[in-house]
Amino acid sequence: MSTNDIPPFYVEGLAAVGDVVKVELEECGVPGRQRIIAILKNGKVLKSMCIDARGAKRLLAMIREYMQLSKHLVLENG
């Protein structure tokens, strides 16, 4: 199952609560633009809307940081 063209901040939120297991960048059909691809715990694949490549790289770094922090902040089963 795939969901396309979601806002990038939605992926950030999911990463902060520990729902994202893998994240990467993908080139868009427009030069200088990329999208964020996130795979969730339930296997769902989310694709963000295309944004400026520099911003996408910064967001990717932030999302990866949120993924690491969520391991310490989010408790399973409550």
Side-chain angles (χ1 to χ4, degrees):
M1 178 183 284
S2 174
T3 303
N4 296 324
D5 296 328
I6 62 165
F9 67 83
Y10 187 74
V11 179
E12 287 183 85
L14 290 171
V17 297
D19 286 343
V20 177
V21 294
K22 184 178 178 183
V23 68
E24 58 190 37
L25 292 177
E26 176 181 272
E27 296 294 326
C28 293
V30 179
R33 302 194 50 92
Q34 293 180 319
R35 72 177 69 224
I36 297 168
I37 308 296
I39 301 173
L40 306 182
K41 282 184 177 179
N42 63 7
K44 192 173 187 179
V45 177
L46 301 178
K47 296 183 178 187
S48 77
M49 57 185 62
C50 292
I51 59 173
D52 179 71
R54 292 174 298 172
K57 289 174 185 165
R58 288 186 192 119
L59 281 171
L60 181 70
M62 291 172 60
I63 291 167
R64 287 184 172 156
E65 186 67 26
Y66 293 148
M67 290 169 66
Q68 291 300 314
L69 289 172
S70 71
K71 294 175 185 176
H72 304 290
L73 299 175
V74 179
L75 302 175
E76 297 289 329
N77 300 322

